[in-house]
Amino acid sequence: MFGNMKYWLVTLFVLMSTMLFTVSAQTSGGDGQQQPRKIEIKNSNTLEVNEILGPDVKILRGDVQFYHDSSTMYCDSAYYNTKENQFQAFGRVHIMRPSQDGDTINLWGDSLHYNGANKYAKMRKNVKMTKDSMVMITEHIDYDMTKNVANYFDGGTTFTGEDTLVSELGYFYPKTNDLVYNRDVVVHNPKYTMYSDTLTHNIKTKKSTFQGPTEIIGKDNYLYSESGWYNHNTDKAELTKNSYLVSKEHKLVGDTIYYDRNLKYGRGRSNVEIIDTAKSIQLTGNNVYYYEEPEHSLLSDSALMKYISKTDTLFLHADTIVSITDTIIENQSDTTIFRIIKAFHHVKLFRHDIQSMCDSLVYNLYDSIITMYQTPVIWNDNNQLTAQTIKLYTIGNTVDMVEMLNSAFIISEFDSLGHYNQIFGKNMVAYLDSNKITDIEVMSSANTIYYTDEDSIVTGMNQVSGENTHIIFNKKNKIDKIWFYKNPKGTLHPLGAIRRSNRYLDGFVWYNKHRPIKMEDIFYWETPTETPLTAQRKQEMEDEDKEREEEARLNGEKIEN
């Protein structure tokens, strides 16, 4: 009985002495400098010392509670070194520490080493840390309460909302609510999986910021960037370095890409490119809007379409280019998805064998027809083709046929002296082989002017009209044969009898200065000021020629027409 009483008296004396020492040690040291606060023992079922550990080490067992600088710590047992102001804790270890934003930081584990001098905690085995909805699981966490940062270094998993974050190294900053991950970072989400080398995730905003190669793989698309952010709450992202989005058969590349997963919408700024991997089509611009469902895009600011083939590339520029997908059902079951390109305002097209300009254009890739509207002009070799509406029919990336509707006009420069072969009709179809015109059919109101020559010297001019006409060209792009149907009428003008007014058909206009000679020219637009030659102007020219002829006759001079 007396032995037990002696044990409890010693225990009580040690406990009271420790508490008195703890309280007295909160003040400044002998040199007047602020000393670290001593760890306080709030509870322990037993407290003892032994000769092996020495008088400075207190052995605490049963419902042990410490308090130090706003942190409360629980465990089953502990060795507390009062001299060094640190302890080892074992069994159901738990740290509770209030955060500046009103949340509570909780840290659990099987064992803990805590240093009160620098407020540094090392939690080991079955470690779990929580704050708000965040739960971090690992085997080792070091928590520097002075710097307010916790880190693990041998792999960990963090749960926050719908996201599960896994990495080899991880840091948590409770003040800013930032998780910083390094090495083999993986974020699992029901909608996507994110892979990165370096990533910062905020547990409040649910926003991940990354620097370094990062992949975001969804069910229907793939995002890549080396710098940017992703908001897990809104499913919005901004990618700012070497970024691209892959969706089905299309790839969106740009200096900066903004993406909204819920709207299935992406926007690119600066050097943006959309690549259709199936059709070898590339769309570029500095301002691009892209929608995944239904798939369509809009490009502006240096908008350009490139249609790449084995032999050549078709370049098309306009103020605005719109790309949409459409569907056609054949044989009641076969579904074909195809693309339609629409270009608006200041449209120019360049390929080495054909060039064009117009106000607006539609390129239907299902039937490979390009339809041009509002003052369309096409140049092929030395031919200029105009009409109110023009359709180009392509096969295998080459132009097979050109259909000109309403006021169709083909002009070919015969020489550099102002002589032009001309074909006019209400409607016209030109057939091409190897991108050269082989023959032309004129439907209704056909009128032609074509020159004859000998050794490349003009000898005369034929002017023929008829209801319908069929014209055959030779390999040198000169008229070889011509057939007129229904009341053909023709006149052969000797070279010396050709007046200026007779050289041109009504509606003649030569747009050659607007022709793009190289690809870069399609970005330059000069509004055409040329006006078609009218019957009134031709009459004025004829009157002027007659006056010149009369004046020359009176002066005894010879007129060269």
Side-chain angles (χ1 to χ4, degrees):
M1 175 178 178
F2 290 104
N4 289 335
M5 182 178 294
K6 181 179 179 182
Y7 170 80
W8 286 110
L9 287 173
V10 171
T11 301
L12 179 62
F13 173 76
V14 172
L15 182 60
M16 292 182 65
S17 300
T18 302
M19 290 181 176
L20 289 172
F21 176 77
T22 301
V23 172
S24 64
Q26 308 303 312
T27 60
S28 61
D31 57 0
Q33 295 182 352
Q34 187 68 32
Q35 297 297 313
R37 291 179 177 272
K38 296 297 290 185
I39 300 169
E40 300 178 40
I41 301 173
K42 287 296 186 180
N43 189 75
S44 179
N45 290 345
T46 66
L47 187 153
E48 61 180 283
V49 295
N50 61 40
E51 295 179 354
I52 297 175
L53 298 177
D56 295 326
V57 178
K58 318 305 179 188
I59 304 172
L60 297 89
R61 293 188 176 91
D63 193 19
V64 180
Q65 297 180 27
F66 292 102
Y67 181 83
H68 187 246
D69 195 35
S70 76
S71 295
T72 303
M73 291 163 268
Y74 307 86
C75 62
D76 290 339
S77 61
Y79 295 120
Y80 175 29
N81 191 316
T82 56
K83 182 178 180 180
E84 295 182 5
N85 198 27
Q86 56 183 283
F87 66 82
Q88 292 275 0
F90 308 95
R92 296 186 295 175
V93 184
H94 181 197
I95 299 176
M96 292 180 61
R97 180 176 176 83
S99 180
Q100 292 176 330
D101 56 9
D103 289 332
T104 299
I105 302 165
N106 289 280
L107 182 60
W108 290 272
D110 290 350
S111 64
L112 167 70
H113 177 270
Y114 182 77
N115 190 327
N118 55 13
K119 295 186 291 183
Y120 201 95
K122 295 182 178 181
M123 191 74 78
R124 299 293 183 262
K125 298 296 182 182
N126 299 313
V127 179
K128 180 171 77 171
M129 188 174 197
T130 67
K131 183 177 188 288
D132 193 21
S133 61
M134 181 211 77
V135 179
M136 181 184 291
I137 305 295
T138 184
E139 286 298 296
H140 307 83
I141 280 184
D142 289 352
Y143 186 13
D144 188 335
M145 299 182 189
T146 301
K147 296 180 180 179
N148 202 13
V149 57
N151 75 283
Y152 62 80
F153 41 84
D154 56 356
T157 302
T158 306
F159 304 90
T160 169
E162 290 186 327
D163 300 304
T164 302
L165 301 95
V166 182
S167 71
E168 193 66 23
L169 299 177
Y171 297 83
F172 177 53
Y173 297 85
K175 183 178 180 179
T176 60
N177 295 299
D178 284 328
L179 293 159
V180 179
Y181 296 102
N182 300 103
R183 295 209 329 239
D184 302 326
V185 185
V186 182
V187 181
H188 298 281
N189 184 283
K191 299 176 184 177
Y192 52 85
T193 302
M194 182 183 297
Y195 298 91
S196 183
D197 184 65
T198 301
L199 182 143
T200 300
H201 180 82
N202 189 280
I203 65 172
K204 293 290 187 181
T205 65
K206 300 296 190 291
K207 185 176 181 180
S208 292
T209 304
F210 45 85
Q211 296 289 334
T214 300
E215 300 174 290
I216 306 172
I217 304 173
K219 180 181 178 182
D220 299 317
N221 61 28
Y222 172 89
L223 291 166
Y224 175 86
S225 183
E226 294 173 12
S227 178
W229 55 262
Y230 191 99
N231 190 310
H232 302 257
N233 273 340
T234 63
D235 278 326
K236 295 179 180 179
E238 186 172 83
L239 316 176
T240 56
K241 182 180 179 182
N242 297 329
S243 311
Y244 59 87
L245 160 68
V246 178
S247 179
K248 299 178 182 177
E249 295 177 342
H250 306 111
K251 184 176 182 180
L252 175 67
V253 183
D255 289 350
T256 300
I257 295 177
Y258 170 84
Y259 179 68
D260 188 321
R261 186 177 297 277
N262 294 324
L263 296 178
K264 296 185 178 298
Y265 155 79
R267 181 182 178 185
R269 299 193 305 272
S270 184
N271 300 315
V272 186
E273 184 176 19
I274 299 175
I275 303 172
D276 187 332
T277 55
K279 292 292 185 180
S280 299
I281 290 178
Q282 296 180 11
L283 300 170
T284 62
N286 288 319
N287 192 26
V288 175
Y289 299 86
Y290 175 76
Y291 295 86
E292 292 179 297
E293 293 182 5
E295 193 276 324
H296 63 286
S297 55
L298 183 148
L299 302 90
S300 60
D301 189 2
S302 303
L304 176 69
M305 183 196 81
K306 292 189 288 186
Y307 194 173
I308 303 170
S309 66
K310 293 181 179 178
T311 56
D312 206 346
T313 299
L314 174 70
F315 298 91
L316 184 150
H317 167 66
D319 290 350
T320 303
I321 295 177
V322 177
S323 172
I324 63 175
T325 54
D326 204 348
T327 304
I328 190 169
I329 299 176
E330 301 174 302
N331 302 323
Q332 298 182 344
S333 59
D334 297 334
T335 300
T336 301
I337 300 174
F338 59 95
R339 182 185 290 273
I340 298 174
I341 304 292
K342 297 182 178 181
F344 299 98
H345 311 309
H346 304 139
V347 181
K348 275 193 173 183
L349 180 150
F350 176 85
R351 200 169 68 179
H352 288 97
D353 54 2
I354 193 167
Q355 303 84 42
S356 71
M357 74 174 188
C358 62
D359 179 74
S360 56
L361 173 151
V362 176
Y363 188 3
N364 188 321
L365 274 74
Y366 175 73
D367 51 22
S368 299
I369 297 176
I370 301 174
T371 306
M372 305 169 64
Y373 302 94
Q374 297 191 36
T375 319
V377 183
I378 293 176
W379 295 276
N380 170 252
D381 204 357
N382 64 337
N383 303 305
Q384 173 187 285
L385 291 70
T386 60
Q388 290 185 19
T389 303
I390 297 179
K391 293 185 176 182
L392 279 76
Y393 295 79
T394 62
I395 297 177
N397 298 322
T398 61
V399 179
D400 179 66
M401 183 177 74
V402 180
E403 184 178 13
M404 293 166 280
L405 305 175
N406 297 315
S407 302
F409 210 140
I410 295 181
I411 302 173
S412 302
E413 189 174 35
F414 187 80
D415 58 24
S416 60
L417 302 175
H419 300 113
Y420 299 89
N421 288 335
Q422 300 158 60
I423 306 170
F424 177 84
K426 182 179 179 180
N427 298 314
M428 199 180 304
V429 176
Y431 300 94
L432 292 85
D433 184 16
S434 300
N435 297 309
K436 289 185 177 292
I437 296 176
T438 58
D439 56 319
I440 295 172
E441 290 184 0
V442 184
M443 283 75 75
S444 183
S445 306
N447 282 282
T448 64
I449 288 178
Y450 63 96
Y451 289 88
T452 59
D453 69 312
E454 187 174 328
D455 296 329
S456 299
I457 299 175
V458 176
T459 57
M461 182 189 82
N462 284 299
Q463 189 168 3
V464 186
S465 63
E467 186 62 22
N468 298 319
T469 303
H470 188 194
I471 304 169
I472 305 294
F473 288 80
N474 61 26
K475 294 182 179 180
K476 295 182 179 180
N477 198 37
K478 293 184 178 181
I479 294 175
D480 184 43
K481 298 177 182 178
I482 182 166
W483 288 273
F484 290 90
Y485 307 97
K486 293 185 180 180
N487 304 318
K489 296 179 181 179
T491 303
L492 175 61
H493 300 275
L495 179 61
I498 304 174
R499 286 179 174 159
R500 285 188 305 154
S501 58
N502 294 329
R503 292 181 182 181
Y504 309 103
L505 295 174
D506 290 355
F508 179 94
V509 60
W510 188 241
Y511 292 111
N512 199 57
K513 77 171 187 177
H514 303 283
R515 182 177 187 172
I517 305 302
K518 55 185 182 299
M519 185 279 289
E520 291 77 11
D521 294 341
I522 63 177
F523 293 97
Y524 173 76
W525 181 272
E526 181 181 355
T527 302
T529 57
E530 298 87 348
T531 56
L533 187 63
T534 62
Q536 179 181 348
R537 176 55 187 151
K538 286 183 65 177
Q539 184 61 52
E540 292 173 355
M541 292 170 63
E542 184 170 356
D543 293 341
E544 292 169 1
D545 287 346
K546 287 180 179 180
E547 290 179 6
R548 286 195 307 115
E549 291 169 4
E550 179 62 21
E551 183 178 351
R553 187 185 65 80
L554 294 175
N555 295 330
E557 299 173 352
K558 184 178 180 181
I559 292 292
E560 294 290 343
N561 290 312

